[in-house]
Amino acid sequence: MPAILQVTVTAVAAYAFAVYVLGHDEPLIAAIVAITALGFVRDARPIRVLETVVAMTLGIALAEVLLLAASPGLLQYGAALALTLAVARLVSANAAFAIAAAVQCSLVMLVPAPAGGPFVRTLDAVVGGAFALAATAIIPRDPRRTAVRDGRRLIDEHVGVLGELADALRAGRTDAAGRALSRARATQPLVESWTASVDSGLAIARVSPFVRRSRFDLERLLVMCSGLDLATRNLRIIARRIEWVLRDGRPRPEIADVHARIATALALLADSLRDVSAQPVARQAFSEIARHLDPAAILPDGPVGDRNTITALRPYLVDLLTATGLELDAARSLLPAD
C-alpha cells in the first residue's frame, strides 16, 4: 500500500503539473516516467530512481532529435532504436538502463507526437523524473518495515534448516539432512533481498526528513545483515558436513541438541529485528552456547567426523554473535580453547 500511494500520487501530480502549469497537451510521458522510475522494486534508493529517469529521458531525447531530421517510419524507428541501445550501453553497463531507454524511444517514435513543438516529451520526462525523485523524500515508503520483514525471512530460514538438521541427526537420516542442505543452498536470494532493502532504506532515510528517525534501526540492521550473510555461508558448510556424516545411518542426539539450542537462540535474534531490547538477550543466549561449544566435552568418545560437526558450528556462532553487535575478537574469545 505505501508503494501504491507513492506511485499514484506522484504520477497524477506529474501529469497535472505538465498540463496545468506547463500547458502541455496529454503529457503521457510525465506519468509514465514517474510510474516506471518508482515502480514496485525493492531498491527504492534515490540513486536507483535517478538512474531510471536518466535512462528514460535519454531514450526520449535521442528519438526526438532523430524526428527533427527525419519523418516517422519503420526504418527510422529501427535506426533510432539501435542508436538508443548503443548509446545507453555506452553510458551504463546495467542492462535495465538500456531497456528503459529503448522502451521510451519506441513510444516517441511510434506514438503520434502531441502538440507543442519539439522536445515537449523530453520536458515531460524531466517533469516525471523530478516528481519521482521528490517523492522518495516527501512520500517515502517505510524503509524499516521492509528491512525487518526481509531479515525475518532469512532468520526464519536459518531456524528451519537447523530444525531439519536436528531432526535428521536424531533419526540418523541422510535423506532428511540432504533436504536441509538443499534448503540451505537456496538462501542466497534471501540474503540479497535483505541487503538491498537495508541499503535502500538507509539511502531513503538520509534524504527524507519523514523517516530519518529510522536510521538508528537501519544501521543496526545493517550490522545484523552483515553477520547473517557470513552465517548463511557457514550454515551451508554445516549442512553439507552433517549430510556426509549421516551416511552411516547412526543417530547423533548430542549434536542434534546443540543445533536445536542454536535455533532457539535465533528466534530471539528474530525478535530483536523489531525490538532492540531483545538484542542483548539473543547475544547472551549465543554466548552461553559458544562457551560450551567444545567438541571434546560434548563428544568425549566421539569419532573425529562427529567432532568436526561441532567444530563447524564455532565460526557460525561467531557470525551470529557479530550479528548482535558484538565485536569479532570478543565473539571469538567466548569459544573454548582448541
Side-chain angles (χ1 to χ4, degrees), residues 194-237:
W194 192 16
T195 302
S197 60
V198 172
D199 289 344
S200 176
L202 279 170
I204 293 170
R206 291 188 184 107
V207 301
S208 175
F210 301 102
V211 293
R212 193 160 294 166
R213 60 184 179 180
S214 299
R215 284 188 62 176
F216 169 77
D217 283 333
L218 288 167
E219 287 169 354
R220 184 173 62 87
L221 293 179
L222 183 63
V223 174
M224 291 181 66
C225 183
S226 177
L228 263 297
D229 182 7
L230 297 174
T232 302
R233 303 179 196 187
N234 277 316
L235 181 64
R236 299 174 196 136
I237 297 172

Side-chain angles (χ1 to χ4, degrees), residues 67-332:
L67 283 176
L68 289 177
S71 59
L74 190 59
L75 291 178
Q76 294 88 327
Y77 167 58
L81 184 59
L83 177 62
T84 299
L85 287 169
V87 172
R89 291 297 281 171
L90 286 173
V91 172
S92 173
N94 185 356
F97 184 94
I99 296 303
V103 169
Q104 298 309 306
C105 169
S106 299
L107 279 174
V108 172
M109 295 298 296
L110 301 177
V111 177
F119 299 107
V120 169
R121 286 176 287 190
T122 301
L123 181 55
D124 288 339
V126 173
V127 169
F131 272 81
L133 286 168
T136 61
I138 300 173
I139 319 173
R141 303 171 193 180
D142 184 356
R144 181 177 175 274
R145 181 172 62 178
T146 303
V148 167
R149 183 185 64 224
D150 290 342
R152 184 89 199 198
R153 287 174 179 169
L154 178 59
I155 295 176
D156 286 347
E157 199 64 11
H158 275 246
V159 173
V161 170
L162 288 170
E164 289 187 8
L165 289 174
D167 292 341
L169 285 162
R170 290 192 180 96
R173 293 181 55 188
T174 188
D175 59 332
R179 288 192 293 271
L181 174 59
S182 298
R183 187 173 177 180
R185 285 172 171 168
T187 52
Q188 190 57 36
L190 297 177
V191 175
E192 293 171 357
S193 294
W194 192 16
T195 302
S197 60
V198 172
D199 289 344
S200 176
L202 279 170
I204 293 170
R206 291 188 184 107
V207 301
S208 175
F210 301 102
V211 293
R212 193 160 294 166
R213 60 184 179 180
S214 299
R215 284 188 62 176
F216 169 77
D217 283 333
L218 288 167
E219 287 169 354
R220 184 173 62 87
L221 293 179
L222 183 63
V223 174
M224 291 181 66
C225 183
S226 177
L228 263 297
D229 182 7
L230 297 174
T232 302
R233 303 179 196 187
N234 277 316
L235 181 64
R236 299 174 196 136
I237 297 172
I238 292 166
R240 180 69 184 91
R241 188 178 295 274
I242 290 174
E243 191 269 343
W244 176 264
V245 166
L246 285 179
R247 292 184 180 184
D248 62 4
R250 182 169 57 86
R252 292 164 170 82
E254 299 89 353
I255 305 175
D257 289 343
V258 178
H259 286 74
R261 288 200 298 271
I262 296 174
T264 301
L266 272 165
L268 297 173
L269 184 64
D271 292 339
S272 74
L273 289 166
R274 293 187 179 276
D275 183 5
V276 66
S277 65
Q279 188 165 305
V281 181
R283 183 186 302 165
Q284 182 61 31
F286 289 135
S287 298
E288 288 301 317
I289 297 171
R291 290 190 183 97
H292 298 91
L293 206 58
D294 183 357
I298 297 173
L299 301 170
D301 300 319
V304 174
D306 287 10
R307 290 190 180 187
N308 285 340
T309 62
I310 300 297
T311 302
L313 289 170
R314 291 163 67 96
Y316 181 64
L317 258 296
V318 169
D319 294 335
L320 294 179
L321 283 164
T322 60
T324 67
L326 192 65
E327 293 292 332
L328 179 61
D329 289 342
R332 288 172 173 167

